[in-house]
Amino acid sequence: MRKTAKPFWRHTIEWIVALSATLGILWAVHQYVGEVYRVRLSNQSGGYSKGTLLWVDKWNPGSRSSFNHLHYPTVYFGSGQANRFYKRAKQLDVSRYDLVIFNHIYPDSLAPDLRLKMLNRLIGLPGDTIRLYNGKLYINGKAIEPSAQTIVHFEAQLSDSTNLTNLEFKYNLSDARWTRGRTFQFSAHPSDALRIAGDSLVIHFSRLVEIVPDTKIFTTGIGGQNGDNFGPVVLPWRGMPATPDPTSPFAGRLWNDYEIQGINQPYFVNDTIPAFANNYYFMLSDYRKMGNDSRYYGAIPEYLIIGKVASTLWNSKSSEL
């Protein structure tokens, strides 16, 4: 007995239902489980070159809910929206030195753009005191040894018996460049730089440290700060009183820029004392001289953090080998 063919309208409805279910599942995975992130501009070492595809884990750090029911994928935040609200499935779970993805910051308003994302390394947790002094990183007053990913800038001068090409080949200095005479500058991990410093061909060696104040630094109210001499600053935590400190405008700027114009409504302790509604995290680029990080846009409130890098799906450099 031959089966009766389904009418066209029923086929159409079944396809619509199947397509809707598929799109719903894909949206839920993207929103709450993880997503693919393509590196557009890298200031991180360790193979995260431009074009690299990364898998960003959202589930384990604590999936962030939609800020509003219409935000995905077309709208973004501007300051002054009263209906913005932030929450997570659980408390944000990230660790020091994680590579994290977070929402792009508009330099003028510091409002998050939900369509654009940034990649950086998290080195400061809520309550930490962060300081850079002559290029050296201190966390809670303790000098931190450079991690395997840290890349800093050095200067060296060669003897008359060799040239930069030989040294480049010997130590794989892909970015070394001449400055004057037989002096050249290069970027390297400090331990690698010490090997170069001990080479018999090198007669002068120094680490380059920024001295001139940088007007782009986030805490412009503190005199003399730049990329190598920054802080000390305390990273706010949820419930920390937001009383402006005239000696350190860091917390005051975070309060004004991220809390007043941020996602949640202003938060108060005992309904009277203004306090931070969010925990804050400090980002620092592996390439210290090239980085666009928390030295320039401030510590990041937890509501901007999307997830952390779990694995590399495809590396643009390895594909060229």
Side-chain angles (χ1 to χ4, degrees):
M1 183 177 178
R2 190 171 63 181
K3 293 183 179 180
T4 304
K6 293 182 180 179
F8 175 76
W9 64 267
R10 180 168 292 182
H11 275 292
T12 303
I13 291 176
E14 289 177 351
W15 274 103
I16 291 175
V17 170
L19 181 60
S20 299
T22 301
L23 292 176
I25 292 172
L26 291 176
W27 179 88
V29 169
H30 179 277
Q31 184 69 32
Y32 300 109
V33 178
E35 66 176 85
V36 176
Y37 175 83
R38 181 177 181 271
V39 179
R40 292 173 175 80
L41 179 64
S42 178
N43 51 23
Q44 308 302 322
S45 62
Y48 300 103
S49 56
K50 181 179 179 181
T52 299
L53 297 180
L54 306 172
W55 176 251
V56 180
D57 178 16
K58 299 179 179 179
W59 183 264
N60 290 306
S63 301
R64 187 180 67 180
S65 64
S66 301
F67 289 105
N68 60 61
H69 65 287
L70 295 175
H71 96 264
Y72 185 83
T74 56
V75 304
Y76 62 94
F77 282 108
S79 59
Q81 296 187 13
N83 61 346
R84 294 172 295 178
F85 185 72
Y86 159 75
K87 63 180 179 180
R88 290 186 185 273
K90 66 174 184 176
Q91 183 177 353
L92 180 64
D93 182 13
V94 289
S95 303
R96 201 185 312 278
Y97 306 122
D98 281 346
L99 270 177
V100 299
I101 305 295
F102 53 96
N103 286 119
H104 173 79
I105 309 298
Y106 283 119
D108 52 350
S109 66
L110 295 179
D113 183 348
L114 299 183
R115 299 165 300 182
L116 298 178
K117 297 154 189 175
M118 299 177 70
L119 166 72
N120 226 318
R121 193 172 302 280
L122 187 156
I123 62 100
L125 301 170
D128 283 347
T129 299
I130 303 296
R131 186 187 186 192
L132 283 117
Y133 179 70
N134 287 342
K136 184 77 173 179
L137 173 63
Y138 294 81
I139 299 179
N140 299 325
K142 180 181 178 181
I144 303 300
E145 291 298 322
S147 67
Q149 295 81 20
T150 302
I151 303 294
V152 293
H153 212 47
F154 298 90
E155 183 176 84
Q157 186 177 4
L158 299 178
S159 66
D160 293 335
S161 59
T162 189
N163 57 45
L164 179 60
T165 302
N166 294 339
L167 211 65
E168 281 181 325
F169 178 78
K170 184 176 181 180
Y171 294 104
N172 192 27
L173 303 177
S174 58
D175 71 335
R177 57 192 182 278
W178 292 104
T179 55
R180 59 188 182 280
R182 303 185 63 76
T183 302
F184 68 99
Q185 296 178 357
F186 64 97
S187 299
H189 188 275
S191 62
D192 295 330
L194 287 177
R195 292 192 298 111
I196 299 172
D199 195 293
S200 60
L201 304 175
V202 176
I203 59 176
H204 166 75
F205 177 84
S206 63
R207 177 170 175 170
L208 294 181
V209 176
E210 192 174 354
I211 300 175
V212 179
D214 187 348
T215 57
K216 299 189 296 294
I217 289 293
F218 183 75
T219 50
T220 53
I222 303 176
Q225 298 217 30
N226 53 43
D228 285 328
N229 290 279
F230 178 90
V233 295
V234 177
L235 303 183
W237 60 91
R238 178 178 170 82
M240 171 183 167
T243 305
D245 181 355
T247 64
S248 177
F250 185 75
R253 277 207 60 186
L254 292 176
W255 168 259
N256 289 321
D257 294 338
Y258 290 110
E259 297 282 322
I260 300 301
Q261 299 187 59
I263 302 302
N264 299 101
Q265 297 299 318
Y267 177 78
F268 294 88
V269 177
N270 298 328
D271 297 325
T272 56
I273 304 173
F276 285 89
N278 298 278
N279 291 315
Y280 281 76
Y281 300 84
F282 198 95
M283 309 296 168
L284 189 63
S285 303
D286 293 342
Y287 287 96
R288 298 288 170 80
K289 289 289 183 180
M290 301 166 55
N292 178 26
D293 50 42
S294 288
R295 293 171 292 179
Y296 303 96
Y297 50 66
I300 292 298
E302 62 184 44
Y303 64 76
L304 291 184
I305 295 179
I306 299 168
K308 60 184 179 182
V309 174
S311 61
T312 301
L313 301 178
W314 179 77
N315 189 299
S316 59
K317 281 191 174 182
S318 62
S319 66
E320 298 171 0
L321 299 179

